Amino acid sequence: MSATLDSEKISHYFGGCPVIHVPGRTFPVDVKYLEDAVELTQWSITEFSPYAKRLNDKFFRGKTAQEWSEDTAGVNLSDHDDETTPSSVKLSETRYSPRTASTINLLDERVIPYDLIMRLLDHICFKAYTKYSAAILVFLPGIGEIRRLNDLLAEHASFGSSHDFIIYPLHSSISSENQSAVFEVPPPGVRKIVLATNIAETGITIPDITCVIDSGKHKEMRFDEKRQFSRLVETYVAKSNATQRRGRSGRVQDGLCFHLFTKIRHDTQTQRSCD
């Protein structure tokens, strides 16, 4: 049963049947967001970057989005009453540089930031968070995104070395035999990176995962009223999906998760998905 299932609704549907909670054993997971990833890697973009918003894009035309700032970073609106707005809540200390704020405000969140993911992997494996680098799970929306990141890793001087890293693509088109390979524990000194769609969110649990990088997107089937057929649409994950994804780490030791969307988006704009 899904860990994010609304048990109260199910209980009410069946006439108030009892709910039995059987807690599993998990370790704490250190949860970080886009602003933390940008600050850690010192990643920056300009208005000419392929990851930057195009103001003449019809998606942004006529929209006045509130800029991300230190004042709203890390604010959870559920902790405040309705009269408290993000702009009126101040953090007690400055954690993010002006460069981080500029990068986040320029970033087109519809685009997968492959450059940031590569920098983040580099920091996790070789610099700041090496204790979490034994087995890393990267969530991506689809097969095309998995192939692109896989190619970038294969061309990288360090990640492309089969003596140090094993890269596993994981999606629904992979055979059962190849899917089972992701459960193998690498030899000592070799680290594992799994590039997966949401198949690894609930359908498959890889027990030795110690770190998750969540692109914050997935593809789901939606019916197109205009064209009268169903098609896969890339969209942001819901808060319940984010909870499931970071829960993939912390199975065998303390875990680490980077969600590549801001905390304010997580707290205010991601709604609960249907379980």
Side-chain angles (χ1 to χ4, degrees):
M1 183 177 289
S2 171
T4 56
L5 184 74
D6 191 335
S7 57
E8 290 185 7
K9 285 186 178 180
I10 300 297
S11 174
H12 179 73
Y13 179 81
F14 287 105
C17 68
V19 177
I20 301 174
H21 295 277
V22 182
R25 183 189 175 190
T26 57
F27 293 85
V29 177
D30 187 4
V31 182
K32 298 185 179 297
Y33 296 90
L34 176 63
E35 52 265 38
D36 302 302
V38 172
E39 184 73 19
L40 172 69
T41 61
Q42 297 186 352
W43 186 56
S44 63
I45 59 175
T46 68
E47 59 183 315
F48 304 107
S49 167
Y51 302 113
K53 296 174 183 174
R54 298 291 183 266
L55 297 182
N56 59 350
D57 189 320
K58 64 179 181 180
F59 180 82
F60 298 108
R61 200 176 300 154
K63 294 184 179 180
T64 54
Q66 181 182 1
E67 288 197 346
W68 183 93
S69 69
E70 184 80 12
D71 295 340
T72 59
V75 174
N76 188 336
L77 296 189
S78 62
D79 295 336
H80 305 280
D81 56 37
D82 294 338
E83 296 179 357
T84 305
T85 62
S87 59
S88 66
V89 182
K90 303 288 185 179
L91 292 182
S92 58
E93 59 182 21
T94 299
R95 292 184 294 168
Y96 306 108
S97 65
R99 175 172 53 190
T100 293
S102 174
T103 296
I104 291 175
N105 287 321
L106 269 176
L107 181 64
D108 184 348
E109 291 187 76
R110 298 173 300 167
V111 179
I112 303 295
Y114 296 100
D115 188 32
L116 176 59
I117 293 173
M118 292 295 291
R119 285 170 174 258
L120 201 50
L121 285 169
D122 183 72
H123 271 73
I124 293 168
C125 293
F126 304 112
K127 298 173 184 176
Y129 293 103
T130 54
K131 71 175 184 177
Y132 299 108
S133 65
I136 302 171
L137 173 60
V138 184
F139 280 103
L140 294 161
I143 298 175
E145 292 80 9
I146 287 175
R147 286 174 177 166
R148 180 171 177 184
L149 185 56
N150 187 67
D151 290 343
L152 291 172
L153 290 169
E155 295 167 0
H156 192 274
S158 299
F159 297 122
S161 170
S162 59
H163 299 292
D164 300 315
F165 290 91
I166 302 176
I167 314 298
Y168 292 106
L170 181 61
H171 49 78
S172 58
S173 299
I174 297 288
S175 67
S176 299
E177 182 180 348
N178 289 333
Q179 283 187 16
S180 63
V182 303
F183 297 101
E184 298 176 4
V185 177
V190 179
R191 287 174 279 191
K192 174 169 70 177
I193 300 177
V194 181
L195 312 179
T197 61
N198 56 359
I199 190 175
E201 190 176 302
T202 55
I204 294 176
T205 298
I206 307 168
D208 61 333
I209 293 297
T210 49
C211 177
V212 167
I213 298 176
D214 172 22
S215 68
K217 300 178 182 67
H218 64 179
K219 292 183 179 179
E220 59 184 17
M221 192 67 71
R222 291 186 180 178
F223 184 72
D224 190 322
E225 288 282 354
K226 185 177 181 180
R227 296 179 176 84
Q228 289 295 300
F229 64 82
S230 297
R231 61 191 181 97
L232 279 174
V233 176
E234 184 177 309
T235 183
Y236 295 107
V237 299
K239 187 179 290 187
S240 57
N241 299 116
T243 301
Q244 288 278 16
R245 291 184 174 196
R246 63 175 169 263
R248 301 301 94 187
S249 62
R251 300 280 172 155
V252 294
Q253 66 165 61
D254 291 357
L256 174 68
C257 175
F258 278 93
H259 293 297
L260 298 186
F261 45 84
T262 62
K263 189 176 190 303
I264 196 69
R265 170 179 283 280
H266 174 271
D267 292 343
T268 63
Q269 297 184 32
T270 51
Q271 302 299 317
R272 183 181 179 86
S273 66
C274 297
D275 292 293

